[in-house]
Amino acid sequence: MNILETHDLTKEFGRFTAVAQLSIAVAGGETFGLLGPNGAGKSTAIKMMTTLLPPTSGTAGIAGYDIVRQAGAVRRVIGYVPQLLSADGTLTGYENLLIFAKLYDIPRRERKERIDSALEFMGLSDVAGQLVRTYSGGMIRRLEIAQSLLHKPQVLFLDEPTVGLDPVARHLVWDHITELRREYGTTIFLTTHFMEEADILCHRVAILHHGTVRAIGSPAELKSSLNIAEPTLDDVFVHYAGDSLATEEGGFREASRLRRITRRLG
């Protein structure tokens, strides 16, 4: 049964179309990846589905709730970890989660148990009392995922969950994402520039090119569609979105933003 569906979801900024007629369906418990170069519309699509941006046209539903007409209900059943840091380095890990527990309106009598459970699940119990500014990049990312889990979301959106992390931290985050789906049946919707990440984590992926879905399927299906020897998901990406390399948006501003994120994550 599908827990997330979009039908012709479109976002225009003046004369520029960031996302054009996006139509996808994600099954409950699935890990779904949205791939594409910078400027392809990935973050815009996520922001519409998480009710942060109103669509220009089209519809989308999550767990049976419409993202426009029932935005409040949608927010109660989703979690969202953005690209930019959402943790406060001047507070401890526990204090960060306590703030989020209050924002999610979790009853006072349940807060400590939920916070302790989230910290334990993400392997952060031993450092819960330390300031977040002392955490490594991987620990910060796991804390942010823990924050998003406090209200037990049915769908978790992860916008480039391992950006700026070293390979060891990246694999540790992958392990926790996989365990999250297995343990709680959480549906994962993620964007990433790491094709290995998408290949390992995702049941299916969609490739966006100038705001339009150009290919969708399991990594194995998409690789076999190329009809070349030993194809990789990188080959798939280049095949369907390769000409974006010369025209992708972002340039200096995007490079500067990514480097700021990388420095802050350590």
Side-chain angles (χ1 to χ4, degrees):
M1 181 178 178
N2 295 329
I3 194 169
L4 184 158
E5 293 186 8
T6 71
H7 300 282
D8 295 330
L9 195 64
T10 299
K11 183 62 181 179
E12 298 173 350
F13 296 97
R15 298 173 63 182
F16 173 69
T17 301
V19 176
Q21 298 179 320
L22 179 67
S23 296
I24 57 175
V26 179
E30 181 177 16
T31 299
F32 187 92
L34 193 60
L35 313 180
N38 294 332
K42 304 183 301 296
S43 292
T44 299
I46 278 190
K47 286 177 181 177
M48 285 191 286
M49 286 183 270
T50 56
T51 76
L52 296 176
L53 269 179
T56 303
S57 61
T59 61
I62 298 177
Y65 300 113
D66 183 270
I67 62 168
V68 175
R69 293 183 290 103
Q70 299 167 296
V74 169
R75 296 183 195 115
R76 287 193 292 272
V77 299
I78 66 171
Y80 175 46
V81 180
Q83 292 180 33
L84 296 177
L85 288 177
S86 57
D88 188 334
T90 66
L91 301 176
T92 68
Y94 188 94
E95 289 169 340
N96 269 274
L97 265 63
L98 181 58
I99 289 175
F100 270 74
K102 293 177 180 179
L103 291 174
Y104 286 132
D105 290 326
I106 294 173
R108 183 186 297 269
R109 63 182 179 278
E110 298 179 22
R111 288 174 191 168
K112 186 178 187 306
E113 181 181 353
R114 293 228 197 157
I115 291 171
D116 289 344
S117 177
L119 288 167
E120 181 179 2
F121 182 78
M122 297 306 296
L124 296 171
S125 297
D126 292 344
V127 295
Q130 297 179 20
L131 294 179
V132 171
R133 66 187 179 204
T134 67
Y135 285 15
S136 68
M139 291 162 65
I140 293 173
R141 214 50 170 159
R142 284 186 280 142
L143 179 69
E144 292 172 324
I145 294 174
Q147 289 173 166
S148 71
L149 299 179
L150 289 174
H151 63 305
K152 301 179 181 179
Q154 297 181 49
V155 182
L156 178 60
F157 290 90
L158 302 171
D159 198 357
E160 298 192 37
T162 59
V163 63
L165 301 187
D166 63 57
V168 173
R170 187 180 304 143
H171 280 266
L172 188 56
V173 171
W174 291 354
D175 290 343
H176 282 290
I177 291 173
T178 300
E179 185 62 22
L180 177 63
R181 184 187 62 79
R182 290 175 179 169
E183 183 75 17
Y184 299 106
T186 307
T187 302
I188 309 293
F189 191 108
L190 64 86
T191 71
T192 181
H193 280 120
F194 295 109
M195 295 302 104
E196 181 189 10
E197 183 165 273
D199 209 352
I200 290 173
L201 295 178
C202 297
H203 296 93
R204 290 186 304 135
V205 300
I207 298 178
L208 277 185
H209 178 91
H210 297 309
T212 302
V213 173
R214 294 300 177 89
I216 189 168
S218 70
E221 289 170 342
L222 294 180
K223 283 184 282 188
S224 65
S225 73
L226 299 188
N227 196 28
I228 62 175
E230 300 183 359
T232 66
L233 207 54
D234 287 277
D235 295 322
V236 172
F237 185 91
V238 171
H239 178 78
Y240 289 104
D243 64 331
S244 290
L245 295 177
T247 60
E248 71 177 51
E249 298 187 3
F252 180 81
R253 180 179 297 178
E254 177 62 24
S256 297
R257 183 194 65 80
L258 181 58
R259 291 182 185 183
R260 285 198 303 272
I261 295 172
T262 301
R263 284 198 302 271
R264 292 175 69 185
L265 286 174

